[in-house]
Amino acid sequence: MRPHPSADSRGFVLISVVIFVLIITLIGLSIFTMDSFEARFLGDDLDQSRSYLAAKGGLVRGRAVLESTGLLDKVQQDLPPRVVSAIARQDGRSTGGVVFYDNPDSAHQHPVELEVKAQFGSRPRTLSALFDPVSVGAAQSLALIANRDTMRVGPEVGITGPVRQASNDVSWVSQVTGFTPSQDLTIGEVQAPDIDGFIQRKRTGAKQVKKEDGAWEFSGGVYLSPDTGEPWAFYDPNPSPITVEVKGYNVWLVERGVKFHGRVSFRDAGDSQRPGRLVIVSKRGGTSPSNFGARFYHGIDRSSNVPMAIVTNGRVVIGEAATERHDLSRISILSEGVDLTRVGLTYNAAEMDTLLRNLQANDFYPGAQPGVSGVLRPVQSGWTDKNAPLNN
């Protein structure tokens, strides 16, 4: 016969089983805890990687928006999924236009910073990049002629200053005085201005152009001459000399061409705090053919002292009926063609470059048609990841 186990031995076995089960339970709990920790860690790591990729894609998208629109605040609109914010800055500004520069050194001194934040889960990621804004046909020129058209000149025309045109037709060069083609003429791409889009954006709340004490007055802000169905949205038929007085910065929107019949003088009626500045932004109009953006029939008087820019998708005509030559030094033209008679144009770079950049920066100057306003070249070592390393 086998001896029966004692009560002490049975108790020892029971305790051993309990301890074994407890050890197995603790091991299982440890494994479960480790799996949960690793899963959370891997999940956080995956969220941060996804945020990084979304932010990087946001930089690519933001650069394309800036190049195509030329407007800093456009990057903040219509953000892609998981991108929670995007901001572009130039010279401390986050609104207005991007100022593009012909000179690479100048572009490098005024970079555009683009910052994008994206977030998956609880792990945001913020990336920033610097770009040099390089022009593909800067506004800083005496004349910019787009769309394969060219310049036409009559008698007594002088040109001193930079001219850029898309056309290869340079027959006008031999007909003007004071021009140095090797130094001042550039044949290359000229971005046509987005006149329609600019007028549409700026026309709300615009003031009406009025005549006071015999002079047309601009006292600061945005003015509109609407399309009334006539050949010209603005036409002054007076054959006598015409005066336009300008105070502060002004944008004149013209929905169907502007024409002055008499010789016109643009006079600075401002002061040191609000000097007179004028931008004429005009759609094409007129008759036979209806492709005139701005037409100064008897020319612009030499007494004009207002720095001004004329931007149009039509032709600019100065002095076709002028009887004597008048020299001007405060004007810049962006158009689809220029016709000059008895006028001398000199580009005052020290004054006009600053004006045109300020106009661009404050969104007072039309950008290019949808396409390319300029090129943003990445700055070496200009990329930054603004997040600290993952820390659990």
Side-chain angles (χ1 to χ4, degrees):
M1 286 181 68
R2 294 180 180 175
H4 293 285
S6 66
D8 291 341
S9 62
R10 289 197 299 272
F12 177 78
V13 171
L14 179 60
I15 292 172
S16 299
V17 170
V18 171
I19 292 173
F20 178 76
V21 171
L22 180 60
I23 292 172
I24 294 298
T25 300
L26 290 174
I27 292 173
L29 288 173
S30 298
I31 293 173
F32 177 78
T33 301
M34 290 178 64
D35 285 346
S36 297
F37 175 80
E38 289 183 359
R40 184 171 64 85
F41 179 84
L42 292 174
D44 286 345
D45 192 42
L46 181 60
D47 282 346
Q48 193 167 35
S49 296
R50 288 174 173 173
S51 297
Y52 169 82
L53 293 174
K56 195 169 184 180
L59 287 178
V60 174
R61 170 252 176 202
R63 178 185 178 186
V65 168
L66 291 172
E67 288 182 336
S68 63
T69 68
L71 296 174
L72 292 169
D73 50 1
K74 281 291 186 180
V75 301
Q76 303 172 28
Q77 303 173 12
D78 302 321
L79 297 175
R82 302 294 181 173
V83 173
V84 296
S85 67
I87 187 168
R89 304 181 184 89
Q90 185 182 31
D91 297 329
R93 298 178 296 105
S94 59
T95 60
V98 178
V99 180
F100 294 95
Y101 293 84
D102 263 346
N103 187 309
D105 291 335
S106 297
H108 192 66
Q109 293 171 11
H110 301 274
V112 173
E113 180 189 13
L114 179 59
E115 182 177 300
V116 177
K117 179 180 178 181
Q119 183 168 350
F120 276 80
S122 61
R123 293 293 179 178
R125 202 71 177 265
T126 302
L127 305 179
S128 70
L130 288 177
F131 302 92
D132 289 342
V134 180
S135 173
V136 291
Q140 290 82 35
S141 294
L142 173 61
L144 290 158
I145 305 173
N147 289 352
R148 301 295 170 186
D149 212 328
T150 187
M151 191 177 297
R152 302 169 188 163
V153 297
E156 299 182 55
V157 174
I159 295 177
T160 305
V163 174
R164 185 183 182 104
Q165 65 179 44
S167 172
N168 292 320
D169 183 356
V170 295
S171 58
W172 59 269
V173 171
S174 61
Q175 304 172 50
V176 303
T177 60
F179 191 67
T180 308
S182 59
Q183 176 180 322
D184 291 329
L185 179 61
T186 301
I187 305 297
E189 182 178 12
V190 177
Q191 292 295 316
D194 183 14
I195 300 297
D196 290 350
F198 185 83
I199 291 179
Q200 185 63 33
R201 284 194 297 110
K202 293 291 187 180
R203 73 191 317 276
T204 302
K207 295 176 280 188
Q208 183 178 357
V209 181
K210 293 183 178 180
K211 205 170 190 177
E212 298 287 345
D213 298 325
W216 296 102
E217 287 195 352
F218 294 86
S219 57
V222 180
Y223 290 79
L224 174 67
S225 294
D227 183 358
T228 60
E230 298 295 326
W232 304 95
F234 178 93
Y235 176 40
D236 187 336
N238 187 355
S240 302
I242 299 167
T243 300
V244 177
E245 294 188 345
V246 184
K247 302 176 184 178
Y249 275 76
N250 299 268
V251 179
W252 184 10
L253 310 176
V254 186
E255 291 195 320
R256 195 172 180 178
V258 54
K259 180 181 178 181
F260 290 95
H261 189 82
R263 189 171 67 248
V264 58
S265 176
F266 293 91
R267 296 183 182 175
D268 187 349
D271 52 34
S272 59
Q273 300 299 317
R274 297 181 66 241
R277 304 289 186 265
L278 178 63
V279 185
I280 301 175
V281 181
S282 177
K283 297 183 184 181
R284 62 172 66 94
T287 56
S288 302
S290 57
N291 66 346
F292 297 101
R295 192 174 186 180
F296 304 93
Y297 189 67
H298 278 92
I300 300 175
D301 195 86
R302 62 173 62 90
S303 64
S304 295
N305 61 351
V306 175
M308 60 186 292
I310 303 171
V311 189
T312 176
N313 55 9
R315 297 186 69 83
V316 173
V317 182
I318 301 176
E320 62 192 290
T323 57
E324 61 177 312
R325 171 169 159 165
H326 288 255
D327 293 339
L328 310 171
S329 63
R330 294 179 171 92
I331 190 168
S332 176
I333 299 169
L334 170 54
S335 68
E336 292 192 359
V338 179
D339 296 28
L340 303 174
T341 302
R342 293 188 173 89
V343 62
L345 300 181
T346 299
Y347 187 75
N348 184 340
E351 186 171 23
M352 293 302 297
D353 281 358
T354 300
L355 168 66
L356 292 167
R357 287 168 186 157
N358 285 339
L359 293 173
Q360 288 177 295
N362 289 283
D363 194 22
F364 276 6
Y365 191 97
Q369 289 182 352
V372 179
S373 292
V375 176
L376 295 178
R377 294 178 179 171
V379 175
Q380 190 173 6
S381 303
W383 178 88
T384 305
D385 185 346
K386 295 195 171 184
N387 291 90
L390 185 63
N391 182 13
N392 289 287

